Amino acid sequence: MARSGLVRTAAAAAVVAVMVAGGAVDASAAGREGARGAQGAQGAVAPDSAGVRAALQRTLDAGAPGAFAVIKDHRNPGADQTLSLGKADLKTGTPMNAGWRFRVGSNTKMFTSVLVMRLAEQHRIDLDRPMRDYLPAGTLPSDWAMTVRQVMEHRAGVYDHTNDLLEQPGEETTQVYEQRIRNNVYDPKALVAMSVKHGIQYPPGTAYAYSNTDFTLLGMAVEHLTGRPYADVLREQVIEPLKLRRTSYVVPDKRIAGPHVTGYLTNDDRSKPLLDSTEQTGSWVGTAGAVISSAADLDRFLTALVAGSAGGLVSDDSLRQMTTAIPTPTAKISYGLGVREIALSCGKVYGHGGIVQGFQTQSFATKDGKRTVVAFANASNNGAVTQGLMGTLEPAFCGKQPATSFTAGGGGTRGTVPAVEDSRI
């Protein structure tokens, strides 16, 4: 524990040193800009509310019925902000409500990773042994040697089964959603078999390719090693201890219980109306993307996660491994063990994004847990909506900055974070 704490302290100091050096605009401004960047990484700079609101408005202009951003300042709770625009439901005209439940998509991967890391802490799983060792016999071919760690990093060479279900890159069509997604119930082992037919895509550990099948495998391992359904393990080890009263995993129940936002799938033919895609079994993506939650619960989960041992979810050493991120082909984006790292102008933030029919969320925290941001929109199958939502992160974490201080993703717009590669889930 003491050694782990020293490692984290040293790592934090190194990050601050890099930001101080990198924040200089000229010799006279070096100290001022560097200090500002270091503070921003710790959540000390006030959010740029106007910038966040403008990003949310761009999200609506791109086609989302509604959007919100919830900014929690755990250093100064009085500085918390909630900005909501547009509609939670088009039929009733109900305004967007940032307290309601929604499908979190691939934010689910963080929950699954926590369960795996807890098994590793109990010595029931070794991250550096083959994934197949922790699955029912015959799930993976005997010569597939990718490790659990490589699977968690999306560096295992496992084909993404959702490509077969959706038959195209990018998001699913409304037709395919109705035919294969909304009502169908898939067995996880059948989804893995769908992937295995394509063979290993590259030598494990040599490349990065986002694959929902990776986290289908991890969910299967949780069930195999515990002898319990994933939903029960998640409830007992995460939901109940953290008192996440609006979080659940109900596959294959199609409903979202209680007050919730209506999700809308953008039609491929933009002249046609949005499709209400709120209800679906979720089984096509399961432990990779089917959790239901709320902004408040995601804040509580993230805050506990980045607190390491003090948060009660994972140990300091497990957190260190989860947040040791390797660069991906997308600029400013790295990936750890079920946790995404995004490099902003004021430092790095950790969390995940999620896109699932009708819903998309970006949930991130500073490494010290002093600020979390949950940004949400109730539309999918629309890249401009995704980019608009990503645009909330820079002003929410880093506040107002000179236009010359940070540009990411091209286009000349300060604080533009590239849309990540998980365009579906």
Side-chain angles (χ1 to χ4, degrees), residues 13 33 70 73 151 173 202 231 238 246 349 351 376 388 419:
E33 289 296 318
V70 176
D73 191 329
V151 170
T173 65
Y202 51 82
V238 178
R246 296 182 179 178
V349 294
F376 168 83

Side-chain angles (χ1 to χ4, degrees), residues 93-397:
T94 305
M96 177 56 72
N97 191 318
W100 285 1
R101 307 180 76 213
F102 49 84
R103 297 187 183 277
V104 306
S106 273
N107 286 279
T108 301
K109 292 179 172 65
M110 292 190 290
F111 290 87
T112 300
S113 291
V114 164
L115 298 182
V116 172
M117 296 307 291
R118 291 171 67 91
L119 287 169
E121 290 168 13
Q122 298 163 16
H123 306 291
R124 301 173 70 182
I125 192 167
D126 184 334
L127 301 186
D128 297 308
R129 287 187 59 82
M131 182 78 242
R132 66 170 186 267
D133 291 354
Y134 304 103
L135 296 166
T139 302
L140 292 179
S142 59
D143 59 344
W144 281 31
M146 66 281 293
T147 67
V148 177
R149 188 183 305 276
Q150 289 167 339
V151 170
M152 296 180 79
E153 294 172 333
H154 294 300
R155 295 175 183 273
V158 175
Y159 180 83
D160 190 341
H161 69 270
T162 65
N163 292 330
D164 280 5
L165 289 177
L166 306 178
E167 292 187 347
Q168 63 174 38
E171 280 212 54
E172 69 286 348
T173 65
T174 48
Q175 179 181 4
V176 167
Y177 171 70
E178 295 289 16
Q179 289 178 344
R180 298 180 180 173
I181 305 301
R182 187 192 289 276
N183 299 309
N184 289 26
V185 177
Y186 295 96
D187 184 296
K189 190 167 185 177
L191 297 177
V192 172
M194 194 180 302
S195 169
V196 168
K197 287 191 304 183
H198 292 268
I200 296 176
Q201 301 299 290
Y202 51 82
T206 65
Y208 172 91
Y210 194 89
S211 172
N212 292 291
T213 311
D214 288 334
F215 280 76
T216 301
L217 289 167
L218 293 167
M220 291 178 67
V222 168
E223 293 191 333
H224 183 63
L225 293 173
T226 63
R228 305 286 306 284
Y230 175 90
D232 290 352
V233 180
L234 182 66
R235 184 180 64 255
E236 294 168 4
Q237 298 195 20
V238 178
I239 294 175
E240 290 180 349
L242 292 184
K243 296 181 171 59
L244 305 181
R245 294 185 172 88
R246 296 182 179 178
T247 300
S248 60
Y249 181 87
V250 298
V251 174
D253 189 338
K254 296 195 299 181
R255 299 167 298 169
I256 302 178
H260 59 272
V261 179
T262 301
Y264 294 95
L265 180 60
T266 308
N267 203 297
D268 294 304
D269 180 351
R270 297 299 198 255
S271 67
K272 294 182 179 179
L274 299 172
L275 173 69
D276 183 340
S277 53
T278 309
E279 293 193 354
Q280 63 158 288
T281 70
S283 69
W284 75 293
V285 72
T287 57
V291 162
I292 296 166
S293 192
S294 70
D297 276 9
L298 287 173
D299 159 62
R300 185 183 290 266
F301 170 78
L302 275 172
T303 302
L305 176 59
V306 298
S309 298
L313 282 182
V314 297
S315 69
D316 287 345
D317 183 63
S318 290
L319 176 64
R320 177 190 59 78
Q321 294 184 68
M322 293 175 76
T323 56
T324 299
I326 303 173
T328 73
T330 305
K332 306 293 181 182
I333 309 293
S334 300
Y335 206 91
L337 303 182
V339 174
R340 180 167 284 127
E341 175 191 277
I342 296 182
L344 301 175
S345 69
C346 56
K348 296 173 180 178
V349 294
Y350 298 85
H352 217 289
I355 306 175
V356 66
Q357 294 92 351
F359 304 89
Q360 54 183 296
T361 315
Q362 297 296 330
S363 308
F364 285 87
T366 54
K367 197 166 189 178
D368 58 14
K370 292 178 179 176
R371 178 171 297 170
T372 64
V373 175
V374 178
F376 168 83
N378 58 339
S380 67
N381 199 24
N382 186 329
V385 168
T386 303
Q387 190 62 73
L389 202 63
M390 294 292 287
T392 63
L393 299 179
E394 171 71 18
F397 280 109

Side-chain angles (χ1 to χ4, degrees), residues 37-100:
Q39 289 177 348
Q42 303 303 313
V45 173
D48 176 7
S49 301
V52 175
R53 184 173 293 276
L56 293 175
Q57 185 60 56
R58 288 193 295 273
T59 304
L60 265 63
D61 293 344
F68 67 71
V70 176
I71 306 168
K72 292 289 186 179
D73 191 329
H74 295 285
R75 180 200 301 267
N76 178 19
D80 293 349
Q81 297 185 28
T82 298
L83 298 93
S84 299
L85 280 69
K87 304 297 183 183
D89 185 278
L90 291 174
K91 185 176 181 180
T92 64
T94 305
M96 177 56 72
N97 191 318
W100 285 1

